């Protein structure tokens, strides 16, 4: 048995009663939280590892509900392109990946997420299939080795896409079944698998129905981009040959429900919000990336008014230029205020919960993580409060949502294992990983023939 004690800091539990302790302690025994409370009441127990949290905030790790770590090598490419043209530039590079390239991309992405305080993430992986499930296996190995709490949401493309990425329904079923057997629930349920269509015009209605049936058979969640922009809805209507919007299509094909996560939802009608709410579908919002593309952004308040469970996300590092969920909290509030012309449209407490406990519920991990509470998994971060851009910290929640940055995170623990200590990664040689990433990224760009000057 190993015990770690966070001591001397301010503890923000984000539990149901929103308890906070100015001189608090969090005791971790193996992979779980054993005690949260004032230092004075700490049970007398031997401690293997002491983390001095003086001047820091101890809080739950953040939940990044949606990203594309496989696109990390394209971070600086095409930032002023139209979204769909940008995809045409990015995807061939991923098509040139071998297992090593995918592993390094994923490890770099996990490192970036952990250094930003994101202890859980959902990696939405679109990849070619050069060797059946080699890309998914490489991704799972990186999630395993980095120590992060990760779900691989495997994308499916059935038509209108790059030939190397497309597959039949039979291949999807065979590959997802094999991956579920190998990886779903592995590492004491730290690793999970989910799946779903990447882009709606790459699907027929039959593909939606079959994908839903497969998810039911295997007990896996569906995770998919939905109504990202008005163009999405136009393309769906064009390719299906009838006047239908995406959430209506998901409703018709049975693809809504509490086990479904809809991502980047921006162009939805009031009726579609009702359909999402009636089915208790989970919503994942990525405001900085919506603003990055200039394709419109979700109002957010209709989802909140309808009682939906909402999480926050960064989306991919190439589509956001970072993995900073503090930025997503700030921009969620800013876009909600702008859309409603109301400074209270999304408050800081709700935004913080969307990045922690509510976000964990949105991706189906609410019983594992999201707040500091005895018995839950020990996913914990510390934030350095003694910095010019955070002082004076009269309202710590406001400081976190509106002033803090991912680089303010100092220590990161997942599943009781310390992965980052005082900003230094303990699971990988950071410099060596970055050198390897630089080399492999240039090789893949060359092999894919991507014009980096565009
Ligand atoms: Zn995405």
């Amino acid at each position: 048995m190993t015990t770690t004690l966070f001591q001397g800091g301010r503890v923000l539990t984000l539990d149901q009663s929103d308890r906070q302790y100015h001189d608090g302690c969090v005791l971790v025994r193996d992979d779980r939280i054993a005690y949260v409370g004032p230092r004075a009441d700490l049970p007398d127990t031997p401690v293997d590892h002491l983390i001095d949290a003086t001047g820091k905030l101890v809080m739950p790790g953040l939940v990044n509900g949606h990203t594309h770590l496989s696109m990390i090598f394209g971070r600086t490419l095409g930032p002023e392109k139209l979204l769909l043209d940008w995809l045409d530039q990015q995807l061939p590079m991923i098509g040139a990946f071998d297992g090593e390239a995918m592993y390094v991309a994923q490890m770099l992405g996990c490192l970036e997420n952990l250094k930003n305080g994101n202890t859980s993430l959902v990696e939405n992986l679109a990849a070619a299939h050069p060797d059946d499930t080699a890309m998914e296996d490489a991704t799972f190995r990186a999630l395993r080795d980095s120590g992060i709490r990760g779900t691989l949401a495997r994308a499916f493309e059935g038509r209108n896409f790059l030939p190397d990425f497309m597959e039949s329904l039979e291949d999807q079923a065979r590959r997802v079944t094999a991956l579920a057997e190998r990886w779903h629930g592995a590492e004491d349920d730290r690793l999970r698998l989910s799946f779903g269509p990447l882009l709606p015009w790459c699907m027929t209605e039959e593909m939606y129905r079959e994908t839903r049936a497969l998810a039911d058979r295997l007990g896996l969640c569906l995770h998919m981009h939905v109504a990202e922009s008005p163009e999405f809805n136009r393309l769906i209507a064009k390719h299906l040959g009838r006047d239908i919007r995406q959430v209506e299509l998901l409703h018709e094909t049975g693809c809504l429900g509490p086990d479904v996560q809809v991502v980047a939802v921006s162009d939805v009608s009031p009726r579609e919000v009702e359909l999402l709410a009636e089915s208790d579908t989970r919503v994942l919002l990525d405001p900085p990336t919506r603003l990055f593309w200039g394709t419109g952004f979700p109002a957010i308040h209709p989802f909140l008014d309808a009682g939906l469970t909402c999480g926050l996300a960064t989306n991919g590092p190439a589509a956001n230029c970072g993995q900073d969920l503090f930025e997503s909290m700030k921009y969620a509030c800013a876009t909600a205020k702008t859309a409603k012309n109301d400074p209270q449209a999304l408050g800081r407490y709700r935004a913080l919960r969307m990045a922690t406990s509510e976000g964990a519920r949105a991706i189906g991990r609410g019983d594992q993580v999201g707040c500091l509470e005895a018995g839950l998994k020990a996913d914990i971060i510390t934030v350095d409060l003694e910095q010019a851009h955070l002082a004076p910290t009269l309202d710590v929640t406001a400081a976190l949502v509106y002033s803090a940055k991912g680089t303010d995170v100092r220590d990161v623990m997942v599943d009781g294992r310390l992965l980052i200590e005082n900003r230094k990664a303990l699971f990988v040689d950071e410099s060596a990983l970055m050198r390897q990433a630089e080399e492999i990224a240039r090789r893949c760009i060359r092999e894919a023939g991507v014009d980096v000057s565009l």
Side-chain angles (χ1 to χ4, degrees), residues 96-417:
F97 276 17
D98 57 12
E100 184 199 26
M102 183 60 83
Y103 181 83
V104 169
Q106 296 287 343
M107 276 299 269
L108 181 61
C110 289
L111 174 65
E112 185 184 0
N113 271 271
L114 289 165
K115 292 197 90 164
N116 278 288
N118 306 336
T119 50
S120 295
L121 59 80
V122 179
E123 160 64 352
N124 194 193
L125 182 74
H129 312 288
D131 187 13
D132 214 32
T133 60
M135 295 298 116
E136 293 90 333
D137 289 320
T139 299
F140 269 123
R141 282 198 299 277
L143 296 173
R144 178 194 64 197
D145 296 349
S146 71
I148 207 163
R149 191 172 301 283
T151 301
L152 191 165
R154 183 183 185 276
F156 172 65
E157 303 86 31
R159 61 174 184 159
N160 303 323
F161 208 67
L162 280 72
D164 292 348
F165 285 61
M166 282 196 292
E167 62 186 340
S168 65
L169 282 169
E170 292 72 28
D171 278 341
Q172 173 181 238
R174 184 176 54 75
R175 288 166 176 161
V176 168
T177 304
L179 286 165
E181 280 171 14
R182 268 203 297 285
W183 295 106
H184 185 62
E187 301 290 307
D188 199 18
D189 206 18
R190 184 164 61 78
L191 306 184
R192 289 184 182 175
L193 176 71
S194 63
F195 65 109
L198 181 70
L199 297 167
W201 52 91
C202 301
M203 302 283 283
T204 62
E205 290 170 59
E206 184 208 359
M207 287 172 184
Y208 273 107
R209 290 182 205 282
E210 286 294 317
T211 296
R212 169 41 114 180
L214 180 62
D216 287 347
R217 267 203 308 282
L218 296 174
L220 300 181
C221 290
L222 291 177
H223 179 98
M224 49 201 169
H225 286 231
V226 170
E228 239 181 285
S229 68
E231 192 176 11
F232 264 57
N233 279 312
R234 278 197 295 276
L235 283 167
I236 292 162
K238 180 182 156 197
H239 286 288
L240 292 185
R242 65 193 180 105
D243 186 18
I244 189 161
R245 298 171 62 84
Q246 190 173 6
V247 176
E248 296 167 349
L249 175 65
L250 296 177
H251 173 63
E252 271 190 18
T253 52
C255 290
L256 294 178
D259 59 345
V260 179
Q261 297 140 30
V262 293
V263 181
V265 195
S266 295
D267 182 40
V268 284
S269 67
R271 174 62 188 142
E272 287 179 296
V273 174
E274 274 175 25
L275 290 172
L276 292 171
E278 284 164 10
S279 56
D280 195 18
T281 299
R282 308 304 158 97
V283 177
L284 297 168
L285 300 161
D286 60 340
T289 296
R290 294 303 97 218
L291 294 170
F292 181 87
W293 292 122
T295 53
F297 54 84
I300 299 184
H301 68 87
F303 302 130
L304 305 182
D305 294 346
L308 282 153
T309 302
C310 299
L312 288 179
T314 57
N315 220 321
N320 172 297
C321 301
Q323 294 289 278
D324 186 345
L325 211 64
F326 291 91
E327 201 175 70
S328 295
M329 286 193 265
K330 179 175 183 171
Y331 282 94
C333 293
T335 53
K337 290 174 183 186
T338 302
K340 201 179 178 189
N341 194 21
D342 173 3
Q344 296 182 347
L346 171 59
R348 58 195 184 279
Y349 295 104
R350 182 71 185 266
L352 194 53
R353 288 188 181 282
M354 286 162 69
T356 53
S357 53
E358 189 174 347
R361 285 204 307 282
I363 63 164
R365 290 198 187 261
D367 57 343
Q368 280 189 333
V369 294
C371 55
L372 299 185
E373 207 172 271
L376 288 186
K377 289 280 193 175
D379 288 12
I380 302 167
I381 62 173
T382 69
V383 178
D384 186 356
L385 295 176
E386 292 185 342
Q387 301 191 81
H389 65 275
L390 297 177
T393 311
L394 304 179
D395 180 327
V396 76
T397 311
L400 284 174
V401 172
Y402 292 111
S403 303
K405 304 173 195 314
T407 47
D408 299 333
V409 172
R410 285 290 174 272
D411 309 292
V412 179
M413 173 178 273
V414 180
D415 229 22
R417 182 179 161 208

